[in-house]
């Protein structure tokens, strides 16, 4: 714990004898005044010098024989800073051990006499914090919940197979003279020119372009809607100002296109051949894989519904004081996140200050209350996140940065806050599993539509 208001050489800790006086005890707010006398600090510095003396070498003296006054002059100020820091750390640890308090956030520690303090003077420190509340016992076995169960019926499997067939679509030539539509494939030769001069990378032969795919720069594909085979068409577009090639950025270009074929999309047939494209031996095997995947998706959605119901029940069962600082921080985060969802075009923090509403504060209170309760339940049940689970979580996150996985791993290893962000949801899910094992959970078989409605209701709350 770093003490504010004092230079690095004069930072200190409370581990030796000192006077501790309570100055605030209102709700969860705590305040203490701590005095470390100059004599106590001086004794601590002497102890450190005596301990270090045998190993110190200095010109003109044998090893271990440097006189104490010289050692004090040479190292006294630095050791005084160490003595202060050790005293503060020790005192804080002892206070929390004796009182049983757990601070909600980092305690605020401030030196009262600050920069005016001089060696030889007493040190006076103020510490303040909000204590975590006592969490009441909850009878988990009395909780009753309903778990939705959905089977993958033939209709759902057929729908999923149709979607797979669409993704595996092919293209066949339209009748001669047919106009290209959005979604069609146009096979063409093209040459791009700027100010009448062809440029590198602006030409192609027998190029298959699906109209509406966004493969070419904005405005290009739209101008090809309506073309026919054997037609020639000039397409005029402007390269974006931020285009990667500086010689093209912001320039107007004309592409001379010769249309060779116009093809319409055709979904693949649902047969053994399609199954083999997706790694199955035959259509029956693909149906089995699809059925398993669907039921896994249903189970994941049903778990989300059950988890929300569990949290609702827990929220009804407990009531305790909440640390205002945690609620305020959570409400601010909620308001900030929702504002960005409503204003996706704004990146970073370059926006007006966002004030949480009453609705944000109410949601923040629920989240903080349930978060503290789940943390308490997990601690008592000795729930832990294993190294293997953390490694898997890091790997899953690293996939979002292809080619930079190793750098991401190193970043996480050196960033305690990032580790906590990855660990927290795993811990919460394991605590939820623990509670669900103790609760009375009955199964209710429903269809896919009923499950979808239940999931949609989670977003409405």
């Amino acid at each position: 714990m770093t003490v504010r208001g004092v230079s690095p050489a004069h930072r200190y800790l409370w581990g030796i004898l000192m006077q501790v006086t309570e100055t605030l005890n209102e709700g969860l707010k705590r305040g203490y005044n701590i005095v470390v006398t100059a004599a106590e600090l001086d004794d601590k510095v002497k102890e450190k010098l005596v301990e270090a003396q045998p190993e110190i070498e200095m010109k003109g003296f044998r090893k271990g024989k440097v006189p104490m006054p010289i050692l004090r002059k040479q190292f006294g100020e630095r050791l005084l800073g160490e003595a202060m820091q050790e005293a503060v750390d020790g005192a804080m640890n002892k206070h929390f051990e004796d009182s049983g308090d757990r601070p909600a956030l980092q305690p605020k520690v401030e030196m009262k006499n600050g920069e005016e303090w001089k060696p030889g003077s007493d040190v006076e420190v103020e510490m303040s914090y909000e204590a975590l509340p006592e969490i009441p016992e909850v009878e988990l076995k009395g909780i009753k919940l309903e778990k939705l169960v959905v089977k993958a019926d033939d209709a759902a499997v057929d729908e999923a197979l149709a979607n797979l067939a669409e993704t595996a679509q092919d293209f066949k030539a339209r009748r001669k003279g047919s106009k290209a539509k959005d979604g069609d494939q146009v096979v063409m030769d093209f040459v791009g020119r700027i100010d009448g001069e062809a440029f590198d990378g602006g030409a192609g032969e027998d190029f298959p372009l699906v109209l509406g795919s966004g493969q070419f720069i904005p405005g290009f594909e739209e101008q090809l809607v309506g073309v026919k085979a054997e037609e020639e068409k000039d397409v005029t577009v402007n390269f974006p100002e931020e285009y990667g090639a500086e010689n093209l950025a912001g320039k107007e270009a004309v592409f001379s296109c010769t249309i060779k074929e116009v093809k319409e999309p055709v979904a693949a047939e649902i047969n053994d051949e399609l199954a083999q494209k997706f790694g199955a031996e035959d259509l029956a095997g693909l149906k089995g894989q699809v059925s398993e995947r669907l039921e896994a998706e249903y189970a994941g959605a049903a778990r989300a519904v059950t988890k929300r119901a569990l949290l609702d029940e827990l929220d009804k069962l407990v009531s305790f004081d909440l640390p205002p600082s945690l609620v305020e921080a959570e409400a601010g985060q909620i308001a900030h996140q929702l504002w960005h969802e409503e204003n996706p075009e704004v990146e970073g923090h370059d926006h007006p200050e966002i004030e949480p509403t009453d609705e944000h504060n109410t949601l923040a209170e629920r989240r903080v209350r349930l978060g503290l309760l789940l943390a308490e339940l997990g601690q008592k049940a000795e729930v832990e996140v294993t190294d293997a689970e953390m490694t898997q979580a890091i790997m899953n996150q690293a996939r979002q940065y292809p080619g930079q996985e190793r750098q991401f791993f190193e970043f996480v290893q050196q960033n305690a806050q990032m580790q906590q962000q990855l660990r927290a949801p795993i811990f919460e899910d394991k605590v939820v599993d623990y509670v669900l094992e103790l609760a009375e959970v009955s199964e209710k078989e429903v269809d896919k539509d009923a499950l979808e409605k239940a999931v949609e209701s989670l977003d409405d709350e």
Side-chain angles (χ1 to χ4, degrees), residues 266-302:
V266 180
E269 291 187 26
I270 300 175
N271 52 24
D272 289 345
E273 184 178 350
L274 175 68
Q276 289 164 6
K277 285 183 178 180
F278 287 96
E281 290 187 6
D282 51 28
L283 183 56
L286 181 59
K287 285 184 176 181
Q289 292 178 10
V290 168
S291 179
E292 289 178 5
R293 178 177 60 79
L294 287 175
E295 293 195 354
E297 291 177 0
Y298 298 154

Side-chain angles (χ1 to χ4, degrees), residues 115-309:
E115 297 295 341
E116 298 176 0
W117 181 85
K118 296 179 180 179
S121 304
D122 294 345
V123 174
E124 192 171 354
V125 172
E126 289 182 336
M127 177 180 72
S128 59
Y129 60 90
E130 290 175 3
L132 289 175
E134 290 291 329
I135 309 298
E137 292 285 341
V138 179
E139 181 50 60
L140 301 177
K141 293 183 179 179
I143 298 176
K144 295 183 179 181
L145 299 168
E146 195 172 64
K147 176 184 176 182
L148 303 182
V149 178
V150 181
K151 300 296 183 182
D153 56 22
D154 292 341
V157 173
D158 290 343
E159 181 183 353
L161 288 174
N163 291 334
L164 286 177
E166 188 174 342
T167 63
Q169 69 180 7
D170 201 353
F171 292 89
K172 71 173 184 179
R174 285 190 177 276
R175 290 197 306 268
K176 188 174 182 179
S178 296
K179 295 181 178 180
K181 301 177 181 179
D182 195 40
D184 283 354
Q185 184 187 77
V186 173
V187 180
M188 63 179 180
D189 296 342
F190 63 90
V191 177
R193 296 180 176 85
I194 294 178
D195 296 330
E197 296 291 331
F199 55 88
D200 290 341
E205 294 183 355
D206 295 323
F207 190 92
L209 175 64
V210 178
L211 303 184
S213 65
Q215 189 172 356
F216 278 23
I217 63 175
F220 189 104
E221 295 166 21
E222 292 87 339
Q223 296 180 54
L224 293 178
V225 173
V227 298
K228 303 175 185 179
E230 301 179 3
E231 180 181 344
E232 294 186 355
K233 172 84 172 181
D234 283 347
V235 174
T236 302
V237 292
N238 287 300
F239 282 95
E241 294 290 343
E242 65 277 8
Y243 194 72
E246 292 184 6
N247 62 314
L248 303 179
K251 301 288 183 63
E252 181 182 86
V254 178
F255 288 83
S256 300
C257 305
T258 301
I259 311 304
K260 292 186 171 181
E261 289 183 277
V262 174
K263 299 181 176 183
E264 62 180 334
V266 180
E269 291 187 26
I270 300 175
N271 52 24
D272 289 345
E273 184 178 350
L274 175 68
Q276 289 164 6
K277 285 183 178 180
F278 287 96
E281 290 187 6
D282 51 28
L283 183 56
L286 181 59
K287 285 184 176 181
Q289 292 178 10
V290 168
S291 179
E292 289 178 5
R293 178 177 60 79
L294 287 175
E295 293 195 354
E297 291 177 0
Y298 298 154
R303 174 183 168 80
V305 174
T306 304
K307 179 179 177 180
R308 171 63 67 83

Side-chain angles (χ1 to χ4, degrees), residues 38-54:
E40 291 165 349
L41 284 175
D42 189 61
D43 287 343
K44 190 65 176 177
V45 171
K46 288 178 182 177
E47 290 177 12
K48 287 180 170 293
L49 288 173
V50 169
E51 182 180 352
Q53 187 180 33

